Amino acid sequence: METSTTQATALNFDRKNLSNQKLLDLYESLVMPRRIEEKMLILLRQGRISKWFSGWGQEAISIGAVNALQKDEFILPMHRNLGIFTGRNIPLERLFAQFQGKKSGFTKGRDRSFHFGTVEHHIVGMISHLGPQLAIADGIALADKLSAQNKVTLVFSGDGASSEGDFHEGLNVAAVWKLPVIFVIEHNGYGLSTPSEEQFAFKYFTEKGPGYGMETVRVEGNNVLDVYQTILELAEDIRKNPRPVLVEAITFRMRGHEEASGTKYVPKQLMDDWGKLDPVNNYEAYLESIGVLDEKTKEQINKKVKKAINDGLEKAFAEEAIIPDLNEELADMYFPYEQKLIQPQSGKRSEKRFVDAISDGLRQSMEKYPNLILMGQDIGEYGGVFKITDGFKKQFGADRVRNTPLCESAIIGAGLGLSIKGYKAMVEMQFADFVSVGFNQIVNNLAKIHYRWGQHADVVVRMPTGAGMAAGPFHSQSNEAWFFHTPGLKIVYPSNPYDAKGLLNAALEDPNPYLYFEHKGLYRSISESIPDDYYTVEIGKAKLIQEGEQVSIITYGMGVHWAKKAVEELSISADILDLRTLLPWDQEAVKTTVKKTGKVIFLQEDTLTGGIGAEICAWISEHCFQDLDAPVMREGSLDTAVPFAPNLEKQFLPENRFKIKLQSLINY
């Protein structure tokens, strides 16, 4: 049986106006990944490498594309695009060191094969989730468009990965914003072992483009000249008239998804048919038929390629295995950055509500950083559902204050793409609850990218959070603990207008990824006199907002206000420590207050089980046990979803239970 979507058709080469030298250059470029593949399969059988993802049979797509673009235009490859890496002239010894998990590889042994990027070579590598690549390409292209660079970004997707929501989001955003992106779909008939007809209900991807308002082109993916000339012409046109184009490259994967999986699931006739269309052999035969390639030249090229491969392998194998360095591993989770606190200059102050302080800080950061781009649903003319960005579009323009489609994953990914090109990005979640749709981009792309290959992620995600407004299960969640568990992120959660402005400014200064939680219940319920000038608050530093002798209350956000109210009502003398920064949290401040009072309770609005309080209370029990005069206690919301009805929500929240537990701790 032959899968209808990857029907093998004869290859018809047309050199058009290409010189003999260009034809030979393409041949040498095409031979390189094939010869590497041949060598890697030998090494795999010898047990000298652990895993290999083959692009055998698909090389012409990568080689045609990489040769068609300018050297400083970004390409975002997948795991069958070895030719992109070799085509960008990455030193083979570093590439092979990467494959072997050696220190000189691009990820210092922390990630595998093609899971890396290199800004020097204008490549952004994949993660195993596949789909998020498209959104990053959108962000890179947006940066080029904003900078009037007249550049093209090219991103790959397999036909299997096209079933992911990120594929739709990436194409949709590019179409709406008219971004100069070429989306190349390598249509090879299978997603691992699942054939195309079980992946989607259409025949060709060119049918999808019109649904996005996007041009589409289909090419013979095994014909290097067809791919090269198509991409070359498209890129030249897109640089003048920025817009996205979907290019479908019909091809076939001649080996397994990875070598261990094999190809037994592929019908023999289909494999035989495509085997006759091998992109390397057919192009080689074509060059010989027109007198461009003779035996001597072919031997010279292959000898040169094989020598380069063997030399690179020799250097990579000679490198010693990695000696783990604990300090380096911990330090590399974050881009090196030393905060310099900025104090207000003029002494001028004014009364500002919590919501006004956030808006003020964001506006001043926009003025301070011309490369800061804001993105979010309804943040433009409407000013956001909470009016944080009211008037911003008029002041800063639609390019910098960008309304987005409803696609959280694509917008967070676009923020990372902007960062790769030297921009700063602020992404507003309309409600913190909606971040679940963009969860993968945050925990697997933003958080890990510096650890993996040294790329910073200068992205702040603003998160309107919290309950108390009778908004129900999907507009009231406290979800900071979802991210507290993820190394590579920084998390701040202010409880007052002064910190709201200063922490936001600090987060936007720092080139590392931040989650900035802002409690909706505080927006218009509290105010204070704060500096009119730009200033920052120290990241990772808790604040003792009230001093006492009987007990230490450790909390953050709305919990600060519940704690202040409780100690007043119960006439208790308490230290109230506002964490302010949740990741990294201030261990010294916690230790100091526990030593002082000997009794401690943690208060959080989040549900009790698995919350931030559980981690900090465990740390106190381990590190401050000798200073304790009572069990470490904690209180949080019920372990249920957030209910809608006001009386149910009041019962859900911990405020009343906290008072009871606080009194019992005092009496212990």
Side-chain angles (χ1 to χ4, degrees):
M1 183 185 75
E2 180 173 284
T3 177
S4 59
T5 50
T6 57
Q7 184 174 352
T9 57
L11 299 180
N12 298 303
F13 294 98
D14 181 357
R15 68 182 293 172
K16 295 185 178 178
N17 61 347
L18 296 179
S19 67
N20 287 356
Q21 187 58 52
K22 186 62 183 179
L23 294 176
L24 288 172
D25 289 344
L26 286 171
Y27 173 70
E28 182 175 333
S29 188
L30 188 61
V31 165
M32 176 63 83
R34 175 61 62 86
R35 299 295 174 254
I36 291 175
E37 286 250 13
E38 292 168 349
K39 191 70 174 181
M40 289 299 152
L41 293 176
I42 293 171
L43 294 173
L44 188 66
R45 288 193 292 271
Q46 294 174 343
R48 300 183 74 187
I49 61 172
S50 61
K51 203 174 187 71
W52 183 250
F53 288 88
S54 175
W56 195 299
Q58 299 184 197
E59 296 97 335
I61 304 171
S62 298
I63 295 306
V66 74
N67 282 280
L69 293 192
Q70 297 170 357
K71 296 297 184 184
D72 62 350
E73 291 180 317
F74 272 89
I75 302 179
L76 293 86
M78 303 293 275
H79 49 279
R80 308 206 193 285
N81 299 123
L82 172 60
I84 298 299
F85 298 91
T86 59
R88 282 286 166 89
N89 297 315
I90 288 179
L92 291 184
E93 61 269 22
R94 285 204 73 189
L95 192 60
F96 297 150
Q98 173 66 26
F99 296 167
Q100 295 171 34
K102 297 291 182 68
K103 187 66 175 283
S104 66
F106 290 88
T107 64
K108 301 182 184 179
R110 295 166 179 161
D111 213 336
R112 63 166 66 178
S113 57
F114 304 111
H115 290 222
F116 73 92
T118 159
V119 173
E120 178 187 357
H121 296 91
H122 295 85
I123 293 174
V124 176
M126 58 179 285
I127 65 171
S128 294
H129 301 67
L130 307 179
Q133 288 288 93
L134 280 68
I136 299 174
D138 285 348
I140 293 171
L142 175 59
D144 285 333
K145 190 173 181 180
L146 292 172
S147 305
Q149 291 292 307
N150 299 322
K151 296 293 180 184
V152 171
T153 300
L154 187 147
V155 59
F156 286 92
S157 174
D159 47 293
S162 73
S163 297
E164 295 187 347
D166 280 303
F167 180 87
H168 161 75
E169 292 192 18
L171 265 64
N172 190 56
V173 168
V176 171
W177 287 354
K178 293 182 172 54
L179 299 175
V181 182
I182 299 175
F183 295 96
V184 178
I185 315 303
E186 295 182 292
H187 192 172
N188 65 17
Y190 285 88
L192 209 154
S193 70
T194 304
S196 292
E197 56 264 31
E198 295 179 29
Q199 290 277 2
F200 36 77
F202 52 86
K203 185 174 183 180
Y204 292 118
F205 280 88
T206 47
E207 299 170 27
K208 294 183 76 74
Y212 295 99
M214 187 183 299
E215 300 166 48
T216 59
V217 179
R218 190 182 312 134
V219 298
E220 293 178 344
N222 286 27
N223 185 328
V224 69
L225 296 185
D226 191 15
V227 177
Y228 171 75
Q229 289 159 344
T230 299
I231 299 296
L232 185 71
E233 292 170 9
L234 281 174
E236 288 175 351
D237 191 41
I238 291 170
R239 292 182 197 110
K240 300 171 189 171
N241 177 23
R243 68 197 187 281
V245 177
L246 187 153
V247 176
E248 178 177 21
I250 304 298
T251 187
F252 199 75
R253 168 166 51 81
M254 297 303 295
R255 303 195 68 85
H257 169 72
E258 39 79 34
E259 284 305 305
S261 65
T263 58
K264 289 183 179 179
Y265 48 84
V266 181
K268 184 178 185 303
Q269 185 61 51
L270 184 61
M271 186 69 80
D272 290 344
D273 289 346
W274 276 99
K276 297 171 186 175
L277 301 176
D278 183 278
V280 179
N281 296 341
N282 276 269
Y283 185 56
E284 184 176 271
Y286 167 71
L287 294 183
E288 290 174 331
S289 73
I290 62 173
V292 171
L293 182 67
D294 55 27
E295 280 300 317
K296 182 180 179 182
T297 305
K298 182 167 69 172
E299 184 179 348
Q300 287 174 340
I301 290 173
N302 277 273
K303 187 176 180 181
K304 174 185 174 184
V305 166
K306 289 180 179 179
K307 183 180 187 307
I309 293 170
N310 289 330
D311 288 348
L313 281 170
E314 185 178 349
K315 292 177 183 176
F317 277 121
E319 184 178 345
E320 296 293 329
I322 289 176
I323 299 173
D325 183 326
L326 179 61
N327 292 330
E328 183 179 14
E329 288 297 291
L330 294 172
D332 278 358
M333 279 311 308
Y334 296 94
F335 181 83
Y337 173 74
E338 186 175 340
Q339 183 184 13
K340 294 182 174 64
L341 279 178
I342 297 177
Q343 302 294 338
Q345 296 299 307
S346 71
K348 294 181 180 178
R349 305 174 73 91
S350 59
E351 192 77 11
K352 284 186 171 59
R353 299 172 300 176
F354 192 84
V355 68
D356 303 323
I358 296 171
S359 182
D360 195 37
L362 191 57
R363 186 187 304 275
Q364 290 180 350
S365 290
M366 287 286 281
E367 292 167 348
K368 182 180 177 69
Y369 297 107
N371 64 335
L372 173 58
I373 308 299
L374 311 185
M375 298 183 289
Q377 296 162 23
D378 303 299
I379 70 167
E381 195 70 37
Y382 190 66
V385 294
F386 299 108
K387 302 303 178 184
I388 299 284
T389 55
D390 192 22
F392 278 43
K393 181 181 176 182
K394 183 177 180 181
Q395 181 177 352
F396 301 108
D399 279 347
R400 294 186 63 200
V401 184
R402 306 186 72 87
N403 271 341
T404 72
L406 273 68
C407 49
E408 287 80 3
S409 183
I411 301 308
I412 296 169
L416 179 54
L418 284 168
S419 180
I420 289 169
K421 290 287 288 186
Y423 280 79
K424 290 178 173 287
M426 188 289 301
V427 178
E428 178 187 296
M429 293 294 108
Q430 198 164 76
F431 291 86
D433 312 65
F434 300 164
V435 79
S436 56
V437 187
F439 189 79
N440 181 44
Q441 290 281 14
I442 293 175
V443 301
N444 284 319
N445 257 337
L446 296 187
K448 295 179 174 66
I449 197 165
H450 186 266
Y451 176 76
R452 289 172 54 240
W453 55 276
Q455 171 60 48
H456 70 275
D458 201 344
V459 182
V460 174
V461 183
R462 283 188 36 246
M463 305 273 282
T465 190
M469 280 69 68
F474 306 116
H475 293 77
S476 310
Q477 295 173 87
S478 295
N479 51 14
E480 59 272 12
W482 296 357
F483 305 101
F484 179 73
H485 183 66
T486 304
L489 300 176
K490 295 186 180 183
I491 305 172
V492 291
Y493 198 142
S495 68
N496 57 78
Y498 183 91
D499 287 346
K501 179 176 175 178
L503 287 172
L504 179 58
N505 288 339
L508 290 165
E509 283 189 0
D510 191 336
N512 287 288
Y514 272 77
L515 295 176
Y516 176 91
F517 285 87
E518 50 197 66
H519 200 295
K520 304 185 299 291
L522 298 178
Y523 276 152
R524 292 168 174 84
S525 65
I526 63 171
S527 64
E528 67 175 312
S529 177
I530 67 171
D532 293 334
D533 297 338
Y534 180 95
Y535 65 91
T536 58
V537 167
E538 185 175 356
I539 298 298
K541 188 73 170 177
K543 183 179 181 181
L544 193 62
I545 62 166
Q546 186 168 314
E547 292 197 54
E549 303 298 329
Q550 293 177 280
V551 66
S552 297
I553 303 171
I554 303 170
T555 186
Y556 59 93
M558 184 62 81
V560 171
H561 302 277
W562 290 334
K564 289 167 70 175
K565 182 180 176 184
V567 298
E568 182 179 354
E569 290 179 0
L570 298 174
S571 299
I572 288 172
S573 174
D575 268 8
I576 301 177
L577 184 68
D578 181 359
L579 288 175
R580 304 196 295 186
T581 302
L582 304 182
L583 194 65
W585 58 276
D586 190 344
Q587 295 180 352
E588 283 304 312
V590 168
K591 182 184 291 185
T592 298
T593 188
V594 173
K595 274 180 169 289
K596 175 183 175 183
T597 69
K599 293 182 177 181
V600 60
I601 183 169
F602 195 99
L603 172 61
Q604 64 191 40
E605 180 175 337
D606 193 9
T607 52
L608 188 63
T609 300
I612 291 170
E615 169 62 28
I616 294 180
C617 288
W619 185 90
I620 292 170
S621 295
E622 181 178 353
H623 295 277
C624 307
F625 183 77
Q626 66 279 9
D627 301 308
L628 294 172
D629 297 324
V632 180
M633 296 187 181
R634 60 193 171 103
E635 192 56 76
S637 292
L638 297 179
D639 286 332
T640 70
V642 187
F644 163 63
N647 286 344
L648 290 177
E649 186 181 43
K650 186 175 182 180
Q651 175 183 256
F652 164 83
L653 291 170
E655 185 176 6
N656 290 330
R657 291 189 302 279
F658 169 69
K659 293 177 187 176
I660 296 170
K661 188 168 284 189
L662 177 61
Q663 187 65 67
S664 70
L665 179 58
I666 292 295
N667 296 334
Y668 184 85

